Amino acid sequence: MVLQESVDAIVKEFTVDSAKLEELTNHFIKSIEEGLEHAPGEKSKGLPMIPTFVTSIPNGRERGVFLAADLGGTNFRVCSVELKGNSTFKLEQLKNRIPDDLLEAETSEELFGYLAKKIAQFVDKYHPTGSTDTTGKLKLGFTFSYPVDQTSLSSGTLIRWTKGFKIQDTVGKDVVKLLQDQLDKIKCPVDIVALANDTVGTLLSHAYSSGASPNGNQGDTVIGAIFGTGTNGCYMEPLEAIKKLDPELVKELKSKGVTHMVINTEWGSFDNELKHLPNTVYDQNIDKVSSNPGYHMFEKRVSGMFMGEILRQVLVEIHSKGDIFTQYFEYDELPHRLRTPFELDSEVLSHIEIDDSTNLRETELSLLQSLRLPTTIEERKAIQAIVRAISRRAAYLAAVPLAAILIRTKALDGYHKEVEIGVDGSVVEYYPGFRSMIRHALALSPIGPDGERSVHIQIAKDGSGVGAALCASTVN
Ligand code: GLC
């Protein structure tokens, strides 16, 4: 086949049309219902739908100084957040790139010991005298962006690692206890009072920053979502809809006037059964080389961790048919970086996506630098078309959970209703056009163009840090 034909076929395979969006949105709504329904202990169906024990969202008037620690995809951030009570905050932070060897450490202590050390260094620098309250301890909210079975606001056991971590020893353990033990061991004056998923942090921080409506009702921030290394989202459900909650707890919460709880959907795991998601041969290959085969199937089609790998898989496949990089006859002759899974960063795709330089010179340099891969102009045009197909599919799929939750919560019902979605993550923040592609897809989805116009997708800058601090601020 000639290269152009190969490319056309691939672009077609990556197209998500409005019928597919409708099918996926309906399946998402069903997966929400199933995920909320099953009783505790029963084998889960549908989405994980994890109760977070966060029962209200901020109104912008919260105050105080809190620490936040955020274990995300590739970085560990420690922050000190001063909530000023007027929807603004001051933030100091130290960001550390997690050393590669810790991703596959033998024991949990190695990782959590490292995290505790980084928190202690931060405290020494920014809070050398500890806390001024009676305990002498600083309150910390811990953002832990992996699936956790949350058992209270400040405890939860790891269900499984995602995003490249492979420390088997941690699975099934309480991640707050693991970190607190290591902090205590080095006598660091910090109390972890809240555990939050990054999506919950994003929801809370967006609600804080945008300020709630003047009458103090829950604001219009309906969803907190992450589109970065991973992807996930959370939103509020009425207590009675969360069938998996202990009825005694529901009764107790209701007696205190609580009506809703934030649910961490873990939508990265949407349609793990692959009944409705597109499933190209490249997706199948990626699943095989991933650290969690069979899980997080939605994330593998949408998030930044996988976009580069999808492109790499596609290029290797076209090469095997003899349609690209023909100077290399055998697979083994390809530049070794092109043969290495996860070597191609989605950042490279973001440069190629918008390259309008003469002869796609930027793309040429980018591929030389990242993969040591020389290309012809025809090859670069082909690669740009494929990159755009991969990112468009990712963004169109990203619209599915948003449309589904807006429908499920009836957030768009009512006279000229406007809603906000707080988002964070490298892809939505830096990938050119990602947000506008999501919007295109929302207009094609069951919420339609009218619905799309009422939705505001806004970046919640420093969302997870500020959100963890807000979680900590709810603990007396
Ligand atoms: C992964 C994690 C999830 C997190 C998301 C975004 O999907 O499982 O907990 O929220 O990445 O960081």
Side-chain angles (χ1 to χ4, degrees):
M1 224 194 267
V2 289
L3 182 52
Q4 190 57 49
E5 285 172 21
S6 273
V7 172
D8 291 346
I10 288 161
V11 170
K12 190 155 170 254
E13 235 187 321
F14 275 83
T15 302
V16 176
D17 60 12
S18 94
K20 191 72 186 168
L21 286 171
E22 183 173 355
E23 175 192 333
L24 285 164
T25 306
N26 290 338
H27 187 56
F28 199 98
I29 295 171
K30 193 162 152 252
S31 306
I32 285 181
E33 284 160 9
E34 286 178 350
L36 290 172
E37 291 258 311
H38 70 82
E42 197 184 299
K43 195 171 165 344
S44 72
K45 265 170 71 192
L47 284 160
M49 304 300 285
I50 302 168
T52 63
F53 297 86
V54 172
T55 54
S56 63
I57 61 176
N59 57 21
R61 293 195 289 272
E62 295 70 14
R63 287 175 171 278
V65 176
F66 301 92
L67 293 184
D70 176 7
L71 184 67
T74 36
N75 294 309
F76 180 59
R77 283 193 311 148
V78 188
C79 341
S80 168
V81 185
E82 185 186 346
L83 303 171
K84 297 192 184 240
N86 59 356
S87 291
T88 70
F89 57 84
K90 197 172 141 224
L91 182 117
E92 314 271 14
Q93 63 165 322
L94 281 183
K95 204 166 164 180
N96 309 276
R97 203 187 154 82
I98 300 157
D100 283 346
D101 54 325
L102 285 183
L103 298 179
E104 302 190 14
E106 282 292 309
T107 64
S108 307
E109 284 70 28
E110 287 168 67
L111 173 66
F112 287 86
Y114 166 86
L115 304 183
K117 205 170 79 199
K118 292 294 166 197
I119 295 174
Q121 283 170 359
F122 182 86
V123 169
D124 282 349
K125 183 163 177 199
Y126 291 102
H127 296 279
T129 52
S131 158
T132 46
D133 75 10
T134 47
T135 63
K137 291 204 169 178
L138 296 153
K139 286 182 183 166
L140 180 138
F142 182 22
T143 306
F144 186 78
S145 314
Y146 303 87
V148 158
D149 189 4
Q150 194 137 2
T151 34
S152 74
L153 186 60
S154 61
S155 61
T157 54
L158 178 66
I159 300 173
R160 82 182 70 83
W161 285 110
T162 54
K163 296 181 281 195
F165 272 102
K166 272 191 193 165
I167 313 171
Q168 204 43 41
D169 179 47
T170 317
V171 176
K173 292 193 177 152
D174 179 355
V175 293
V176 172
K177 184 163 184 316
L178 287 172
L179 183 56
Q180 187 69 58
D181 285 352
Q182 295 297 322
L183 287 166
D184 294 347
K185 205 159 134 191
I186 56 173
K187 303 210 164 30
C188 179
V190 165
D191 228 351
I192 309 170
V193 295
L195 172 68
N197 186 261
D198 51 358
T199 58
V200 179
T202 302
L203 178 76
L204 299 192
S205 85
H206 185 69
Y208 175 82
S209 299
S210 68
S213 49
N215 58 11
N217 283 338
Q218 278 147 12
D220 288 324
T221 310
V222 177
I223 303 173
I226 302 283
F227 298 105
T229 311
T231 180
N232 187 15
C234 71
Y235 70 100
M236 284 199 126
E237 274 287 346
L239 287 178
E240 53 278 1
I242 315 170
K243 300 273 169 25
K244 68 210 296 186
L245 276 181
D246 177 358
E248 285 304 310
L249 175 72
V250 173
K251 223 197 258 166
E252 187 193 322
L253 289 171
K254 284 202 156 170
S255 73
K256 292 182 188 152
V258 171
T259 56
H260 287 69
M261 188 182 281
V262 177
I263 298 290
N264 166 14
T265 65
E266 284 294 330
W267 71 42
S269 268
F270 170 52
D271 196 20
N272 280 344
E273 304 76 24
L274 297 177
K275 284 197 199 131
H276 301 276
L277 282 173
N279 191 24
T280 67
V281 53
Y282 320 106
D283 298 309
Q284 294 162 28
N285 291 342
I286 286 179
D287 190 44
K288 284 190 207 128
V289 293
S290 72
S291 59
N292 52 355
Y295 290 101
H296 269 48
M297 299 310 236
F298 182 73
E299 182 159 290
K300 285 172 186 159
R301 286 149 178 78
V302 172
S303 81
M305 172 142 184
F306 299 95
M307 281 160 66
E309 179 60 10
I310 300 178
L311 174 62
R312 197 193 68 81
Q313 294 276 357
V314 171
L315 295 180
V316 168
E317 172 79 12
I318 310 181
H319 173 259
S320 75
K321 293 190 196 140
D323 290 340
I324 202 168
F325 317 136
T326 45
Q327 71 272 40
Y328 309 108
F329 293 113
E330 300 287 337
Y331 171 78
D332 287 348
E333 293 170 23
L334 286 172
H336 98 276
R337 291 192 181 185
L338 186 58
R339 286 181 279 123
T340 312
F342 296 101
E343 185 65 32
L344 187 54
D345 209 292
S346 53
E347 200 188 321
V348 176
L349 278 65
S350 69
H351 299 145
I352 301 175
E353 174 94 24
I354 46 164
D355 184 5
D356 58 359
S357 59
T358 314
N359 290 332
L360 298 177
R361 176 90 182 120
E362 294 255 357
T363 299
E364 181 174 24
L365 291 177
S366 222
L367 289 168
L368 273 174
Q369 203 180 23
S370 57
L371 296 178
R372 307 281 180 268
L373 179 70
T375 44
T376 64
I377 174 69
E378 283 69 35
E379 288 170 342
R380 291 195 289 281
K381 282 189 186 151
I383 292 171
Q384 188 175 56
I386 297 164
V387 162
R388 289 177 174 171
I390 293 171
S391 63
R392 194 176 332 108
R393 186 185 74 161
Y396 274 42
L397 292 177
V400 166
L402 305 181
I405 293 173
L406 292 172
I407 295 170
R408 155 99 193 160
T409 55
K410 302 191 169 54
L412 294 169
D413 294 9
Y415 184 69
H416 286 307
K417 196 71 188 298
E418 308 257 327
V419 302
E420 291 185 15
I421 298 178
V423 293
D424 200 359
S426 49
V427 173
V428 73
E429 202 175 349
Y430 302 120
Y431 198 94
F434 201 80
R435 247 194 305 172
S436 72
M437 289 191 282
I438 295 183
R439 302 201 68 100
H440 283 160
L442 281 175
L444 289 175
S445 82
I447 70 165
D450 281 347
E452 183 268 329
R453 270 194 292 277
S454 314
V455 175
H456 306 274
I457 302 177
Q458 284 161 348
I459 304 282
K461 198 82 188 113
D462 297 314
S464 38
V466 177
L470 284 160
C471 269
S473 79
T474 62
V475 179
N476 296 315

